[in-house]
Amino acid sequence: MNKYKELNPSLRTIMTPGPVEVDPRVLRAMSFPILGQFDPEFTMLMNETMEMLRDVFQTSNEWSFPVDGTSRSGIEAVLVSIIQPGDKVLVPIFGRFGHLLVEIAQRSGAEVVFMETEWGSVFDPQIVIEAIHTHKPDIVALVHGETSTGQMQPLAEIGKMCRQLDILFVVDAVATIGGVPVKTDDWNIDAVIGGTQKCISVPSGMAPITYNERIETKLQSRKRIERGLRDPASLDNEPSLVPIRSNYFDLSQIQDYWSSARLNHHTEATSMLYGLHEGLRILLQEGLEDRFARHELNGKALVQGIKGMGLSLYGNEDSKLPCVTCINIPGGIDGELVRNKLLHDFGIEIASSFGQLKGKIWRIGTMGYSCSRKNVLHVLGALEAVLIHEGHKLPAGEAVQAALLVYAESSKEEVSC
């Protein structure tokens, strides 16, 4: 007798900053038959995915494709591929994932200079620009939306200065792509890394990236084709710069795989690409502006509901990330107990936080397919019920009413337009 049960995961309302719920159409697409990686049908899907990514990243970059792996794989692929050992990299930190950029850059051989502002806030762009003039880096690496603190960093002025000074500007937009505007070209960003499991609402397992010709020039200067694919006569020809240290994350080789040359690098994650292709199709069918407005509206309704409950937000509201809401855990309340009750009694998952914020805040995501009126009202009602059950005094019923008022006002605005 087989001791292992048939897989049957519980249905959850996932309101974390990632992963989030996935559109059933994406799950259906991921169940389709496998195609060979060089089958014309499959290479057509690859090309279409690149086209759709250009639209989502708001760029004309030729090179817009996914790296196989979670979001971190995309960050590592970009940094390890462009950092020549000894390059100076400036990293402004305003949360956990800025520290990740520091660590990956250091492991890639960079001389890293970092600056940190108080968590719960972002940098005045002029402060970063002053640091750029002081340190004269080769690369600036910066997080756009920090899910650990619920904050979003303005990028346009920083990108403009980097371009004027011929500095490469790399942005982690894992939490923002598909949910808020990421204007790659207008903001002079040289490379952007996204994620599938947040606002794009596809399972974790791919990291969409885009980069321009400035990055491509750096890649080509370090390019080395894998030994087993090279002409034996060229084995002694090495790049002038130190070659890219990683094989799997070598963007110069992955680029050849996604180009018309189809130079084999790895076996593409077929079912994941089906899912990404369908997720991007759904996103663009909704329309970027409508999608951004949906994330803005549901985030606003959640915020007003939390305030109506008498709870306070963590962080500066002026720089709040629209799709992540951070809430101070009330005194005398066990934050993990509340999270467990939400999960087991209501089937709702919200997140705790990391590092210096561990045990101090809850984080609620309104991202992608999870970003809906139903989910916002559900999580507000459930959180209120659990807090009352745990003895916390609050104005019962006000949270959902405050959120409903936001939705009602939005409907009036739509009618008036």
Side-chain angles (χ1 to χ4, degrees):
M1 181 177 177
N2 192 337
K3 65 179 180 179
Y4 300 108
K5 297 180 180 179
E6 180 181 1
L7 184 62
N8 185 28
S10 299
L11 288 173
R12 303 292 196 201
T13 299
I14 306 179
M15 299 295 284
T16 72
V20 302
E21 297 169 19
V22 175
D23 192 305
R25 290 172 289 179
V26 171
L27 296 175
R28 181 184 63 188
M30 295 181 71
S31 71
F32 290 161
I34 299 298
L35 290 169
Q37 60 180 330
F38 299 117
D39 185 310
E41 283 188 39
F42 190 71
T43 55
M44 180 188 70
L45 288 175
M46 293 173 72
N47 291 339
E48 288 182 354
T49 299
M50 293 177 76
E51 290 176 11
M52 290 190 286
L53 283 174
R54 292 185 193 105
D55 290 340
V56 173
F57 280 115
Q58 300 183 61
T59 184
S60 60
N61 290 344
E62 177 181 6
W63 303 115
S64 304
F65 54 80
V67 175
D68 290 341
T70 61
S71 303
R72 189 173 300 213
S73 72
I75 298 170
E76 185 152 344
V78 170
L79 292 180
V80 76
S81 294
I82 66 172
I83 293 174
Q84 174 80 5
D87 280 351
K88 183 180 288 187
V89 179
L90 173 65
V91 182
I93 301 170
F94 60 103
R96 173 194 171 182
F97 294 102
H99 286 286
L100 176 63
L101 295 178
V102 169
E103 180 165 329
I104 294 175
Q106 287 175 335
R107 288 172 181 247
S108 301
E111 175 191 345
V112 179
V113 178
F114 63 87
M115 52 196 293
E116 188 166 6
T117 192
E118 182 181 0
W119 286 28
S121 64
V122 296
F123 289 93
D124 179 333
Q126 290 303 316
I127 299 297
V128 177
I129 289 170
E130 289 173 11
I132 289 171
H133 285 296
T134 298
H135 297 291
K136 299 177 172 56
D138 301 288
I139 299 165
V140 173
L142 186 55
V143 174
H144 185 207
E146 255 293 354
T147 54
S148 66
T149 62
Q151 297 287 296
M152 185 167 68
Q153 173 67 47
L155 300 175
E157 294 176 60
I158 298 169
K160 183 178 180 180
M161 182 55 63
C162 286
R163 187 62 55 87
Q164 289 177 1
L165 299 176
D166 196 26
I167 294 167
L168 294 178
F169 187 32
V170 176
V171 170
D172 166 358
V174 170
T176 52
I177 193 70
V180 301
V182 178
K183 300 182 179 182
T184 301
D185 291 354
D186 289 352
W187 295 344
N188 295 292
I189 308 173
D190 295 296
V192 186
I193 304 99
T196 55
Q197 77 279 15
K198 298 181 186 286
C199 296
I200 294 179
S201 215
V202 170
S204 177
M206 278 189 162
I209 66 171
T210 187
Y211 57 86
N212 60 20
E213 67 282 352
R214 285 157 49 84
I215 295 288
E216 184 183 6
T217 298
K218 189 75 178 279
L219 299 179
Q220 295 299 333
S221 70
R222 306 183 69 199
K223 183 175 180 178
R224 177 191 286 175
I225 296 174
E226 193 175 311
R227 289 181 65 88
L229 299 176
R230 277 192 276 176
D231 180 342
S234 69
L235 289 178
D236 294 330
N237 295 330
E238 302 294 349
S240 58
L241 298 178
V242 175
I244 295 166
R245 294 298 195 186
S246 174
N247 175 286
Y248 188 77
F249 294 135
D250 183 340
L251 284 185
S252 70
Q253 294 191 67
I254 300 174
Q255 176 180 299
D256 280 344
Y257 182 58
W258 281 85
S259 76
S260 58
R262 303 294 176 199
L263 189 64
N264 186 251
H265 174 258
H266 63 285
T267 301
E268 188 54 38
T270 312
S271 298
M272 274 303 307
L273 188 70
Y274 293 166
L276 177 58
H277 183 280
E278 182 66 0
L280 294 171
R281 187 195 66 78
I282 292 168
L283 191 161
L284 293 173
Q285 182 181 56
E286 180 177 0
L288 287 178
E289 295 307 318
D290 286 345
R291 196 174 184 94
F292 300 155
R294 174 165 62 84
H295 282 77
E296 185 76 29
L297 174 62
N298 286 302
K300 182 179 178 181
L302 177 64
V303 165
Q304 293 307 310
I306 293 298
K307 290 181 177 179
M309 204 183 303
L311 303 181
S312 64
L313 300 186
Y314 168 81
N316 185 345
E317 286 193 58
D318 292 336
S319 51
K320 182 185 178 301
L321 177 58
C323 51
V324 177
T325 299
C326 296
I327 305 158
N328 292 309
I329 298 173
I333 293 294
D334 183 335
E336 287 305 292
L337 178 63
V338 169
R339 288 181 64 241
N340 288 335
K341 283 185 174 295
L342 284 172
L343 185 65
H344 294 295
D345 294 340
F346 293 90
I348 298 173
E349 183 181 4
I350 66 172
S352 56
S353 196
F354 319 101
Q356 61 186 264
L357 294 177
K358 185 175 182 180
K360 297 181 179 179
I361 65 171
W362 293 307
R363 297 177 302 138
I364 300 179
T366 43
M367 293 177 155
Y369 192 69
S370 290
C371 180
S372 68
R373 181 181 308 202
K374 174 184 73 69
N375 282 4
V376 168
L377 298 177
H378 188 193
V379 75
L380 286 172
L383 180 58
E384 177 186 278
V386 171
L387 287 173
I388 291 173
H389 183 77
E390 292 303 308
H392 183 70
K393 302 297 182 183
L394 54 80
E398 290 300 318
V400 169
Q401 292 303 316
L404 286 171
L405 182 60
V406 172
Y407 290 125
E409 290 174 347
S410 175
S411 297
K412 290 179 184 177
E413 290 175 4
E414 289 178 4
V415 170
S416 65
C417 292

